[in-house]
Amino acid sequence: MKRAVFFLVIGIFVALVLQPNLVAKTPEQNIRVPQVREDNPITNDDVSSIPSKRSIKIGIDAGHGGEDLGYTGNNEIPEKDINLEIAKQVGKKLRAAGYEVIYTREDDQVAHSDEASENASRLANMKAQNVDVLLSFQASNSNDATMKGFTIFTRPDPLSETLADEIGKELVTINVSTFTGVDTDHYSNFSILADPEVKTLLIDLGYLSNVEDYDQLQDPAYQEKIGQAITNAFNQAIE
């Protein structure tokens, strides 16, 4: 008898207390479920991209151009063409790494025949496009065929000097001639460094009058190495 009463009490407890709780509606949660819409399907364009940490704008300048050949040795490639090929390789590598790149020229068409006027026009264009830094590629020459080495010229500015130091270090790792240093004293000698509002590095990559420097700088494979080295330098210097 007592056992029957015990089971009766348990049955009433389950019916009146536990059962309503088991069937009670689960509170709604704030869960976003992807919806497939045939009338307006979701594409990759709808997905927000993460901004690049390297969201700086880099100007790339190939020195000389047009009638201004730069240095040309006996039956050798003109400096203007070597500068352009190196500039393109640098821009290609920087773009691949996520940087925005703008060229001052991508072919042999230039607006002015004299270097000073052309460089003034290029600086004005870079300023109008709000570049953060401009890299200008040129080469040297000398009556002394043994002269060799690369130098980076810039104005005394923290960002420019930091980039110049990093670029110098990276170019040394691929044995680009002999590094003669970063020069912040003689910027007034170069028209491409004339505007203090455009942070510019003039990267003089070597002496085309020197056989070893010339052979390196005109070599497409080595030009690609230069592009990668400069990209590595930006990756190190830009947070």
Side-chain angles (χ1 to χ4, degrees):
M1 182 66 179
K2 290 182 180 180
R3 186 174 182 181
V5 172
F6 172 78
F7 281 111
L8 177 62
V9 171
I10 291 298
I12 294 172
F13 177 77
V14 170
L16 297 180
V17 179
L18 294 184
Q19 185 66 20
N21 289 335
L22 291 175
V23 300
K25 185 179 180 180
T26 303
E28 294 185 359
Q29 298 181 16
N30 185 23
I31 300 175
R32 298 178 60 185
V33 180
Q35 301 293 323
V36 178
R37 297 176 54 189
E38 295 182 0
D39 60 325
N40 188 24
I42 297 174
T43 68
N44 288 339
D45 293 333
D46 300 314
V47 181
S48 299
S49 60
I50 300 174
S52 171
K53 294 198 307 185
R54 300 171 186 159
S55 59
I56 68 170
K57 189 181 295 186
I58 304 171
I60 302 290
D61 174 57
H64 307 291
E67 296 179 6
D68 179 9
L69 304 180
Y71 175 77
T72 304
N74 296 327
N75 300 317
E76 294 178 342
I77 302 171
E79 180 192 347
K80 66 171 185 175
D81 295 336
I82 293 176
N83 293 340
L84 182 58
E85 292 307 312
I86 291 173
K88 286 181 175 180
Q89 281 293 342
V90 173
K92 177 182 176 181
K93 295 293 185 179
L94 286 169
R95 279 179 173 165
Y99 297 97
E100 182 177 357
V101 171
I102 299 176
Y103 293 96
T104 60
R105 70 180 181 100
E106 296 184 70
D107 52 36
D108 199 35
Q109 302 299 312
V110 298
H112 305 278
S113 59
D114 66 290
E115 185 177 13
S117 297
E118 178 63 22
N119 283 341
S121 176
R122 295 180 187 186
L123 287 171
N125 181 37
M126 292 294 100
K127 184 189 293 186
Q129 299 197 62
N130 297 313
V131 298
D132 295 289
V133 63
L134 172 63
L135 305 179
S136 181
F137 296 94
Q138 298 188 30
S140 292
N141 66 88
S142 173
N143 292 328
D144 181 358
T146 65
M147 285 284 290
K148 62 181 300 183
F150 74 95
T151 307
I152 303 175
F153 298 91
T154 188
R155 286 175 170 270
D157 165 84
L159 173 61
S160 300
E161 291 181 57
T162 297
L163 284 172
D165 286 337
E166 289 295 337
I167 289 172
K169 291 175 186 177
E170 291 294 332
L171 290 176
V172 166
T173 66
I174 60 169
N175 299 316
V176 175
S177 193
T178 301
F179 186 28
T180 60
V182 176
D183 187 328
T184 60
D185 296 326
H186 300 96
Y187 59 85
S188 60
N189 294 341
F190 306 98
S191 56
I192 197 65
L193 299 175
D195 192 338
E197 295 183 14
V198 181
K199 298 183 187 302
T200 306
L201 276 64
L202 170 55
I203 305 173
D204 191 318
L205 284 167
Y207 283 78
L208 297 183
S209 50
N210 177 274
V211 174
E212 293 178 1
D213 280 4
Y214 173 80
D215 286 345
Q216 280 189 333
L217 296 179
Q218 61 82 37
D219 179 7
Y222 211 82
Q223 292 168 355
E224 184 176 0
K225 288 183 179 180
I226 291 172
Q228 187 59 59
I230 290 176
T231 300
N232 292 345
F234 269 85
N235 291 344
Q236 291 291 332
I238 304 299
E239 295 297 331

